[in-house]
Every structure is written in structure tokens, then in C-alpha cells.
Amino acid sequence: MLKKIFLSIAISILSTVSLFAQCAMCRATVENNISDGSSAVGAGLNNGILYLMVMPYIIISSIVYLWYRKTQKEKQALSI
């Protein structure tokens, strides 16, 4: 069961298309900079937003993995 969950999570992470989301303020800033001819600010904002979005998922998945590994070691210690 747990292998299926990890497999489905891995498939969903690896098969995603690049996502770009912006708040209203960020969007207005990007639109103003693009009209001035600078598109580097928009790419930087998108990368920052994606970085902030991904970090909680990495932290939570790391905690879940460590918890799972600990419980597996405890089960092996009890079965011996």
C-alpha cells in the first residue's frame, strides 16, 4: 500500500508541466517590466514563487520519509 502511494507521488511530481502562478501585485510588476522591454524580472518572480511553493512539500515529505524509516527499523527490531 505504501509503495503505491510513493509511486503515485513520484509519478505526479515527475510528470508535471511547468507551472507559473502569480499574485495580482506580482503580475502588475511583471506587466510593467515587460512593457519596458525587460522580461528577466518576470522569470525571476516565477522562479521565486515556485521555490516558495515547493519548499513546504519537500520538508513534509522528508519528515514522512524519516518517520517511515524509523517505524520500519522498529518493526525489524521487534521481529528479531
Side-chain angles (χ1 to χ4, degrees):
M1 171 82 176
L2 198 54
K3 288 181 182 180
K4 290 180 182 180
I5 293 172
F6 282 126
L7 182 63
S8 64
I9 290 171
I11 289 172
S12 66
I13 289 173
L14 296 174
S15 66
T16 58
V17 179
S18 295
L19 301 174
F20 296 105
Q22 296 174 344
C23 65
M25 295 296 290
C26 297
R27 184 172 178 89
T29 303
V30 171
E31 286 176 356
N32 286 336
N33 285 322
I34 288 176
S35 65
D36 293 339
S38 173
S39 64
V41 173
L45 281 172
N46 281 332
N47 290 337
I49 291 168
L50 290 174
Y51 173 76
L52 290 172
M53 180 188 74
V54 168
M55 291 311 290
Y57 292 107
I58 291 173
I59 292 169
I60 290 171
S61 61
S62 298
I63 291 170
V64 168
Y65 172 73
L66 293 173
W67 171 77
Y68 173 74
R69 195 172 74 182
K70 180 182 176 188
T71 57
Q72 291 301 314
K73 285 182 180 180
E74 288 175 358
K75 282 183 183 179
Q76 288 178 353
L78 291 175
S79 65
I80 293 176

